Every structure is written in C-alpha cells, then in structure tokens.
Amino acid sequence: MPGNIRSVSFAWMVLVYLLFCSRRASVGAAPICANAQAGCHVLSLANLFDRVIQHSARTHSISNDLHSEFEQYFLPSKNHIGRVSRNCHTSSILTPNGKDNAQRMAREELTEVILKLLVAWRDPLWHFHQNMAHHHDFNNFSSNKALEMSDMVHELRKGVEKVAEKMQVLGIISNTVSSLASPEASLPSDSAEWRLMKDYNLLSCFRRDSNKVQNYLKILKCRIVPEHGC
Amino acid sequence: MRKVILLLLLLCFTAHTRGKLHSPPAKPGLTSCRSPEKETFTCWWKPGSDGGLPTTHALYYRKESSETVYECPDYHTAGENSCFFNKNDTSIWVNYNITVVATNALGRAFSDPVEIDVVYIVKPNPPEKVTVTVMEDKGWPFLRVSWEPPHKADTRSGWITLIYELRVKLEEEIDWEMHLAGQQKMFNIFSLRSGGKYLVEVRCKPDHGFWSEWSSTSYIKVPDYFHREKSTWILITVFSTFTFLILMWLLHMNRHNLKHCILPPVPGPKIKGFDKQLLKNGKSNQIFSALVVPDFPPATSSNYEDFQVEYLEVYVRREQELVLEESKDLHNSCLKSESSTSDCDSGRGSCDSHTLLMAKCREAKEGERQTDRECSPMRTEAQRRLKDWEEEALNYAHAGIVSLEMSSGRVKTWPSVFSPLPRYSSSPLDQQSSLQMAKQLSLSTSSYLTQPGHSTKEALGQSYWDLCLSSKQPHLLNPPTPVCRELQAHSDVNISSIGHKRAPAGPRSPALHTTEYVEVQRVDNKDTLLLQPVVQGCGRMGGCFQMPHGEVYSKVKGVDSDNVLLLQREGMGEDSCHKSCTVSTTQKPSGCIYTAVPVRDEMATMANGYVDTATMCTLHTC
C-alpha cells in the first residue's frame, strides 16, 4: 500500500510539473515584443489591425444574431419596436455619424472613441449574460452567445489597446490615448442607466455600437495602413 | 310620394355619373428605403387610392431621440413617389422614423411609420468594368474575370466592405454556376469546354446589407483546344496497344504452362512394363502378351533370382475371436474351413487362409509369452511349444472357420490378423516362436494351397518341414541346430500327419485369406518350393531384414503327396534359431536383424520365386 501511494503521488507530481512547464511555455509565446527586439516575433501593425477587425466583425455578428432572435421570439409585432425607447447608455459618448465626420476625426480621437465604447459595454454585457442565464425562456445557445459576446468585447478592448500602443510606439498617434488605461474614469457618471434598459434595448444598442467599432477600426486601418485590403 | 323617390334616385344617379365620390385619400405605404453607399438613402412609397381628388404625398421623418419632424428634402431626384436623403441629411447609426402622408381636399392619410437605420439598408450598385479574358495555364485555358467596385461605394477608405459573387454559364445552358469571390476583385474559372461561349456576371454586397443587382453580362468564347485532347487519346491508345502486345507476347511464351494449367495432360498408364506404343499399334495378342509379366511365372527352376517377386498376403486373425474356439478339433476345422465358401477372387487377389491366420495369431500370442524367457531350456521349450502350437493351430483353424462363418466380410479378420503379429515381430525372435510361426504358416498355407496338382510347386512330394535352417546353410547351424532338427522332425511329423489328415478332405476351398507375404526362394532339386519370408519393401534386396510389421513370411519347402504346399520358415527360422541361442532376449531386434542379414544373402543366392496366391486360388476351385 505505501508503495502504491508513493508511486501515485510521484505520478501526480510529474503531471503537475509537466502542466506547469507547458503553461510557462505557452505564456512565454504570448506577449508581443514592444521594442522589436532581435529574435522576438513582431506582429506588424497591419496584422494587428486585421486581427482586431476580425474580432470586431465576430462580435457584431453575434450581437446581430441575438438581436434577431430576440425580435423573433419576444417581439413579434413590429409596432413594439417603435415604442421602445432608444436611450442607449453610450449615447453620451460622441461618435461620428457619417463618413465625413469619421474621416475628419483625428486618429487619436477615433481610437479613443473606440476604446470608450468598448469599456462602456464591459459591465452591461456581463449583467446581460447573467440575466440570460437565469431567464428560463432562453436556451443554452443564446446564453452561450451572450457569454461569448461579453468575452469578445473584453478581448477586443485589449486588442485595441495593443493597437493603440503600437501606433504610439510607431509615432502614428500621440500619447494621449494611454490615458484610457483606467476605464472607470471615462465611464458615464450615471452608470446606473444601463440597468434601466430592457434586454432588447440593450441588444439593439450593442448591435449598433459593435458596428460602429468595426467601422471605425476599418477606417483607422485604411487610413494608417492602406496597402492591405483597402 | 312617387315624385320624391324619383328625385332622390335622380340625384344619386347624377352624383354617381359625375364620378367617384370624393373621399379622403387611402393610406399610402412605404415600400422600401435603400442606401447605395451608406451615405445617402432613398425611400419609396406606394400611394393608395386618391379618393377622386388630387392628392399630394409628403414624407415626414423624425430622428431618434428627437421630436423634431422634418420633411423629405428631395422628392424628385429619385423619381416619383420617392424621397431622397442626401449626405447632409443622412445620419448613420441613427434610427429614422419615417411616415408618408397623403393629402387631398377631403382629408389626409398617414402611412404606417417605418423605423430604419441606414446601416442595415445598404444595397450597393452592381460592380463595374467587368472584364473576362481567356488565359492559358500549361496548355489548358481558363477564364480570368476581373471587376471593380461600384464607383459610389467607398471601399478605399474602409467605409464600406464589399464581398463579391459571380456566376458563369454556357450560352446554351440554363443553370448558372455560382462562385463566391470574397473581397477580391479577380477570379479564375477553370474546366472549360473547348469552343464554348460563356456568360459571366458579377454582383456585390456589403457585410451587412443586400445583394446588388447583377452586372451586365459579359460574353467570352473559349478557343478550341480539341487537338490537345486528341493527342491525349492517341497517347492512351498507343500505350494500351503496347501493353496489349506485351501481354500477348508473354502469353505466347508461356503457352505451354498455360496449356498445362487449363488443360492438364491426361496421365498415361503407369503399369510397369506397360508399353503404350504397343497398346496403340500392336495386335491384341501382342498386347495381352505384353500385359503378362514376362518373368512370371518362373519358367526355369534354376535361377530364382531373376524372378520378380510378388507377395502373398497372409492375414492373421485377431486373438479375441480365436480364444472362443479353443477346444475344437483342428482337423474338423480345417475341413470346414476348406469346405466353406469364400471369395477368393477378391480384389487383392489373395485368399484367406484361416488356418494360417489362426496359426499366426497363436504364434503371436506365444511370442508374447516368450519375450522374457531365456532360451536355455530350448528343447523342452520347443517341444512344449510344439504342442502348444498344435493346440493353437487347432484353435486357430477352428476360430478361423468360425470367424469366417460369422463374419460376413474379410475385413473383420484382417485387423485381428495384423494385431498380434507386430507384437510378435517386435519381440526378439526366438527359436520357439518362429518355429511355431513357421509351422503354423506352413500348416495354413498348406491347407490353403492344397490343390489337385495344378501348381508346379505341388508335385514335390516332400513332406518334411525344415523349420530352423535348411541344410543348405550349414554354417549357421549352431548348437540350436539339433534342437531345431528335432523340432523339425516333430513338426514334420505333425505337419505330415495334419496334412494327411486333411488329405481326404474334399476340395479345399481357399476360404482363408492370407495376409502374409511369402517370397519363394526357389524350387530346389527335390522339387521343394522354398519360400522366403519377405519383409515388405525389403525382400527384393535381400539385404535389409527388418522384422515384418505385421507379416510373417515362410518358404515353401514342398508339396506333399496330397498336394499340400509345405512352407518352410527358413529365413525366420534361421534367424530365430541363431538369435535365440546366442543372444539374450534383451537384445534389440535390430541386432538380431543384422545377424540375419548374411543368412538372407545366402538365401537370396537361391533362386527367388514367389507364390502367387491368386493364381493358386484361381486354379483351385473356390
């Protein structure tokens, strides 16, 4: 018996060690080199932009699906749409509503707007997912989508921050964007607004905002690195 | 009263004839709103009935989170019943609440409000400058289709992202072949039919929006490349011809083998001394004469060595059956056995000799008993054995007859015959056992082989029985010899007596089938048919002398006056005599065998002959 225990514990230790090592290895590959050091795999700005744009496209697609699902099952009559108040909590954030406006906006401003939007949606989406999980009317698929949406927004924000960092490093934009590192400061003061919105409202608002984010990113990309697919 | 009614009717009629009744307009309806480039958009409506009065329509819209109602800025650019919103009036990501109002003199009608967000109503114009060219890739043609996005859609700044789709078909076909091109502005189409005329169309769509209309059709004709296909066919034909020729050549080379495989040759007759040619060409006489083995039967009595050897099969019965009849009289049994009918024309060409069988079985039995004994008291032993043998012979004969009567077929007896013999043969031969065997054999064969005198061997008149050694081999006569001699005398007497006893018997039928093989050594000057026990497979050579596995062989000494063929167990007797006297029983049979070899050779010098029991049998009335 003691021999067995010893062998088992030894096996466990080996396993744990291996896992730890693998984790270390994977973590080691993750960070992108900021200073373009030798032997470090540097992602180009265009590559980074492509990644974040893909991410935002995915986010928007999920939000679109959820919105249409909502519309289909919970709001069959079209009239109901009109009656819903469209007060998104992000309406305080100033966003360009046209191509000219967007193009006229400075890169830093645009990047800031994107980050503001993404930061503003982190908590509401999390709570929305919680609501969905407890709501018996939703199936697991929708609940999973909501969770995925929430995670993606989080990832997207990180990605955009990285892009901003890269742009600052390359001197494309000034360093004013870095002040967004503390998102809490830029949140609208009446953060309790979003709690008043109903789920449908929330979804339609987010659908629009994700589209905005995607569009702004594309504009940024074609303005900064136009040679790739613009 | 009548007049009032008529007046009313008239009024109604005139009102009707004047035209429709004026009414407020019917409710108009917004059909669609579309934006071609996400910067401007247009809405169309469908008016309802105008109520007979000139009706005007107006479009009012309200932006999201604002109560200000605006009217359509442009009613004309987009055509009738439309409203065009230019860049300044268009806000993206803003919900528009649009309503159309129809107004006439009598009233107005409001359409149902429609909420739109410009982002989701984008339907671009079809792609422009679609060009199709035929290009070649390693001799095979393909179509290269290229286009440009609609000029209004601003894809350069990233404002709109378009994905494209094209469709291709042959002129005579009905169904289109669809290809999704993604965001690229160029596409290759392969697998074309030579000489075909193709139609190509392209359309596009923003990532969230509507498909555009198909672009104008582009026509292209693929040049003929049939000659290339033809050359391929020629190549294939030539290659297959070569392969076919090679296969044919290979088959030709191996036709003999194939012939053997498919039509195996008929095996020819494999009878020794059989001349196929003679059979084909010769006359019947010649054929029959050829069939007869030239050296058989032996014509001369001088040289037996030239004779071919055939084997007399002697079967020894099983012990069990023999035990039953221990008390019967041999004479009676012999008579009975002889008189009983049996089929001597068996396939094996040999006839059963029940007496012989019985004798053999008995001897085997005796042989077993003697395995552990010494051979010192030989004389007494021999005498005792002789008596035993007599009894056994009687028993055997009787049992044989009984068995014959009992058993329907010969097959039953054969195993019994063989079984004791191996035991007998495996044990070292000693004088007594061999003596007895020889005696029995002689007895049985004599009983069997008795003939009215047809056989050449019969007319010998010898009635002595040389058991152990013949006088021709004096060198082998050792101390055992006098014993043998004595035994011989005894046996002679017995045999002769037995033989005589049996003499008056009627026609003896060779009812008993023998399964032992006897090799006739020769017929000596005394007209003695000397039979040599032959080991299966060895006898011809004479050099190897292994104990027969199941058979005992004897040498025909002679035929007595009663036409009884007397067998002499010369070889065996010698062997056994020699061995039993000089060698202990524990000695291996091989050793015994070895010593017997020179004897064998000596005997072999004599003319070899054999007894063809079949011929004997046929001669005798069965």
Side-chain angles (χ1 to χ4, degrees), chain A residues 60 97 99 208 215 218, chain B residues 38 64 92 154 161 207-208:
Chain A
H60 178 70
N97 287 338
K99 183 181 102 172
R208 181 196 296 169
N215 221 344
K218 279 183 187 170
Chain B
K38 211 160 84 174
E64 173 191 328
I92 317 297
D154 188 3
T161 311
D207 32 0
H208 303 282

Side-chain angles (χ1 to χ4, degrees), chain B residues 33 41 105 177 201 272 306 329 343 354 427 472 474 507 560 564:
Chain B
C33 294
F41 72 102
E177 190 184 312
E201 288 177 359
K272 276 192 289 252
D306 297 334
D329 182 30
D343 180 20
H354 273 258
S427 62
K472 294 112 195 159
D560 66 354
V564 176

